[in-house]
Amino acid sequence: MNILKLKWHKLTHWEYWPMQAIYYPIFPIWAYFAIKAKSFFFFNAANPSIKNGGMAMESKKEIYDIIPEQYIPKTVFVKKNSTLLELLAHIDVGGLQFPLIVKPDVGMKAFGVQKVQDVAALSAYAEKCPQNFLIQELITYPKEIGLFYVRYPNSEIGAITGIVAKEFLTITGNGKETVAQLIAHDPRSALQRKSLKKLYGALWDDIPSMGKSMELVPFGSHTRGAKFLDISHEINDEMSKTINDICTQIHGFYFGRLDIRYASLQDLAEGKNFSIIEINGAGSEPTHIYDPKHSLLFAWKEIYRHWKMLYIISKYNKQKGHPYLSYREGTAMLRANSAMEAQLKLI
């Protein structure tokens, strides 16, 4: 697919637009809630147990620490510049085996998240990661969803407000074309060409056999090419009860998205065969909006709906003694977040 066709595809599919193009037109809505809260950074109080409410610069390890361990992958925390012997010791103590998932402890949009197959790959990652990072077991459940959960602090019962299913970025061989050529056929993968070549440069000219499937990105990140499908119609009473029972065990968590690997939706509803691979707080998007069938107007309505709930939860927690960020603290957080994003894009 040539550059002009790719540019046209991005222009005519709003899911690929820059964040500024999506959010700037509805900034007055955020300003309205900020004026009511008398703080631009009111979100800090949404999830009192998570730094900055989970908007930015929060530690993933600290979030894992407040989730009951039976619901999450085995995870070890590794300090920046750890030696190879220290890395291997962490793996041994954590009871981990290759292949593994590695990710920055403070991150966003799956930047810097990788699957490592062996010691050499892990060592190479440790050398280039600019901060502390996590090593996790690879969860092999075949499916992934992002499930948005909201609960008002004065209630014991929350609600699932949306579910997005994630189709991983994959190519299928035809016995004739190279990996590079197969990637170029689909705009979703072609738009990831630069990062994919970095990962699969050694296989770039290989020709996959007929019908052979190759999963290019083993996790469901929209910024890394996954296709998002709105399956909010699958929400039911059984699933809602199970998720509520889990989330009420997470102290101080009221608003955010759970990224879950699972075997089947029925198993998930029954509370079995699943793993919460991440929880995102106040900075979470209701990612079901990125289903290609949805209009930008639908997305704006959903963002407004969730911002309103975020404001109500934050205001309630503020009344209970959980402060908002000051303007100085909030702007410092945003500057640090921008600097970190620039670093993570280089991994």
Side-chain angles (χ1 to χ4, degrees), residues 75-101:
T75 303
V76 295
F77 175 84
V78 178
K79 291 184 178 180
K80 180 183 176 182
N81 298 324
S82 292
T83 66
L84 181 57
L85 287 178
E86 289 171 332
L87 293 176
L88 296 177
H90 281 300
I91 291 174
D92 184 55
V93 170
L96 300 172
Q97 294 182 336
F98 290 99
L100 297 165
I101 294 293

Side-chain angles (χ1 to χ4, degrees), residues 1 6 183-194 196:
M1 183 169 291
L6 274 181
I183 286 172
H185 286 320
D186 183 358
R188 198 167 293 276
S189 55
L191 288 168
Q192 301 292 322
R193 187 179 186 278
K194 184 176 180 181
L196 291 174

Side-chain angles (χ1 to χ4, degrees), residues 42-49 53 151 153 252-255 281-282 310 313-314 317 324:
F42 63 85
F43 52 77
N44 182 65
N47 299 307
S49 60
R151 179 167 65 90
F253 172 67
Y254 300 101
F255 179 96
L310 177 64
I313 292 169
S314 299
N317 283 334
Y324 298 152

Side-chain angles (χ1 to χ4, degrees), residues 283-307:
S284 302
E285 289 184 289
T287 46
H288 56 280
I289 65 176
Y290 290 109
D291 187 319
K293 72 182 180 186
H294 288 320
S295 68
L296 183 56
L297 180 60
F298 172 88
W300 283 340
K301 288 179 178 178
E302 283 295 276
I303 293 168
Y304 164 73
R305 181 167 74 100
H306 286 79
W307 279 357

Side-chain angles (χ1 to χ4, degrees), residues 59 77-82 103-107 125 129-134 344:
S59 162
F77 175 84
V78 178
K79 291 184 178 180
K80 180 183 176 182
N81 298 324
S82 292
K103 60 179 68 172
D105 182 45
V106 179
Y125 182 87
C129 188
Q131 57 164 280
N132 302 332
F133 65 94
L134 306 179
L344 295 180

Side-chain angles (χ1 to χ4, degrees), residues 201-259:
L203 304 176
W204 210 237
D205 296 320
D206 285 7
I207 300 176
S209 58
M210 175 69 72
K212 182 180 179 181
S213 181
M214 182 177 176
E215 190 175 82
L216 299 173
V217 181
F219 40 84
S221 168
H222 189 261
T223 57
R224 299 285 294 274
K227 184 178 182 180
F228 281 12
L229 301 172
D230 186 354
I231 60 167
S232 300
H233 60 275
E234 297 285 358
I235 300 170
N236 57 49
D237 291 344
E238 185 180 21
M239 182 185 295
S240 295
K241 183 181 184 306
T242 295
I243 296 301
N244 190 71
D245 288 346
I246 293 168
C247 289
T248 51
Q249 296 178 59
I250 305 171
H251 178 69
F253 172 67
Y254 300 101
F255 179 96
R257 191 186 67 247
L258 288 70
D259 293 332

